[in-house]
Amino acid sequence: MTDIGRATAVLDVLAESRGPLTLSDLAARTGLPRSTVHRLIQALEHELYVVGAAEGPGYVLGPGLLKFGMNAHLALLAANRGRLASLAREVNENVELAVFSGREVVVADQIASAERLKGVTKVGRSFSLHASCIGWALLAQLPDDRVERLLPRRLERYTERTVTDRAAVLAGLDETRRSGIAIDIEEHDLGICAVSTGMPGPTGALQAVAVVMPTCRFRGKAELAVRCLKRLNPVIDTEAALRQCRDRPAPRS
């Protein structure tokens, strides 16, 4: 592995962590020798890519990475905006673009429809990976061992429909890989359903695109959402996706 690869491994582990990590933590999680981690941290600190944690021992990501994040964010929006706008017009529902943010998924952009959902999702809002279809759509692009590392030990329940069993999440991800879509029927927010697909985006980063709608419109709009998403992601198996939509239990009225 090159020094760039080693440094990237260190930065990835810090990005996925919920708190500061010591040199020993980083060595254990990256599999690199502690002396190598120490050398890399010194170089990354010099460029402010990592900084010492203010609240105790260990390191966190630093402000030097902001310039990359801002440029990448603008490129992500520019590359996707036209396609998202077309999709929103076709389905007449909100359309969202989401990407990984450490151990969560964050909404990077949103196109609101004429029948906009008020106060449900905003750009910049983060979701748990296990409790949203955008999270499942992104996780399905990863191997199971990486998924296991990203999922927290305890899966938080947001509604009675949230999947909180790790084995069930992994089984559901297999279904998402086969069909190319993930479905959220009130698993994160009551009254809200969504259909999502994940894929490498125009910038090369993994991304998810979701059609989000009130529960009352889901059964009537799910097929249209799937067929429109397939234009963005040709690997979607339309029949498997539609069967997945039909087989999911309807929410209580």
Side-chain angles (χ1 to χ4, degrees):
M1 185 186 295
T2 65
D3 269 357
I4 290 178
R6 295 184 185 96
T8 299
V10 169
L11 293 173
D12 283 347
V13 167
L14 285 171
E16 293 174 359
S17 175
R18 295 180 181 273
L21 297 177
T22 64
L23 294 177
S24 297
D25 293 331
L26 289 167
R29 297 193 188 191
T30 61
L32 297 171
R34 192 178 187 280
S35 59
T36 300
V37 172
H38 182 250
R39 176 173 58 81
L40 291 170
I41 285 293
Q42 286 184 314
L44 293 169
E45 266 196 299
H46 181 72
E47 302 296 334
L48 295 180
Y49 296 155
V50 302
V51 294
E55 62 272 30
Y59 298 89
V60 295
L61 295 180
L65 293 172
L66 286 176
K67 58 187 175 184
F68 301 112
M70 292 176 66
N71 287 339
H73 183 68
L74 291 174
L76 180 74
L77 300 190
N80 283 285
R81 198 33 113 88
R83 300 192 304 168
L84 297 182
S86 295
L87 177 58
R89 284 195 299 270
E90 285 186 88
V91 296
N92 195 27
E93 299 290 352
N94 285 11
V95 172
E96 296 173 357
L97 175 70
V99 293
F100 279 114
S101 178
R103 293 177 181 269
E104 296 181 313
V105 55
V106 65
V107 175
D109 198 9
Q110 180 190 79
I111 303 293
S113 75
E115 298 182 67
R116 180 174 184 171
L117 294 171
K118 301 291 186 181
V120 175
T121 305
K122 296 180 180 179
V123 172
R125 183 183 179 186
S126 60
F127 291 84
S128 295
L129 290 168
H130 73 281
S132 62
C133 64
I134 49 178
W136 281 48
L138 288 171
L139 288 174
Q141 311 304 304
L142 304 177
D144 279 350
D145 61 340
R146 181 79 188 281
V147 173
E148 289 274 15
R149 291 199 299 272
L150 286 174
L151 290 176
R153 291 179 180 273
R154 176 182 172 276
L155 302 185
E156 183 176 351
R157 182 177 298 280
Y158 294 88
T159 74
E160 64 178 17
R161 289 179 163 269
T162 305
V163 180
T164 58
D165 179 78
R166 295 173 71 92
V169 170
L170 293 175
L173 291 177
D174 282 340
E175 184 178 30
T176 294
R177 292 178 183 118
R178 288 192 295 271
S179 67
I181 69 155
I183 302 169
D184 177 346
I185 300 182
E186 298 190 340
E187 291 174 22
H188 197 283
D189 295 288
L190 293 176
I192 302 299
C193 296
V195 182
S196 180
T197 189
M199 73 209 95
T203 65
L206 287 180
Q207 62 184 41
V209 176
V211 177
V212 185
M213 66 197 80
T215 299
C216 61
R217 294 203 290 267
F218 177 74
R219 292 301 178 191
K221 283 285 188 74
E223 180 173 351
L224 176 61
V226 167
R227 295 191 184 281
C228 290
L229 285 170
K230 184 175 175 66
R231 298 196 192 106
L232 295 184
N233 188 10
V235 305
I236 290 175
D237 182 330
T238 304
E239 292 307 312
L242 294 179
R243 186 166 56 250
Q244 192 175 335
C245 291
R246 289 193 299 267
D247 291 347
R248 291 290 290 276
R252 295 178 186 175
S253 56

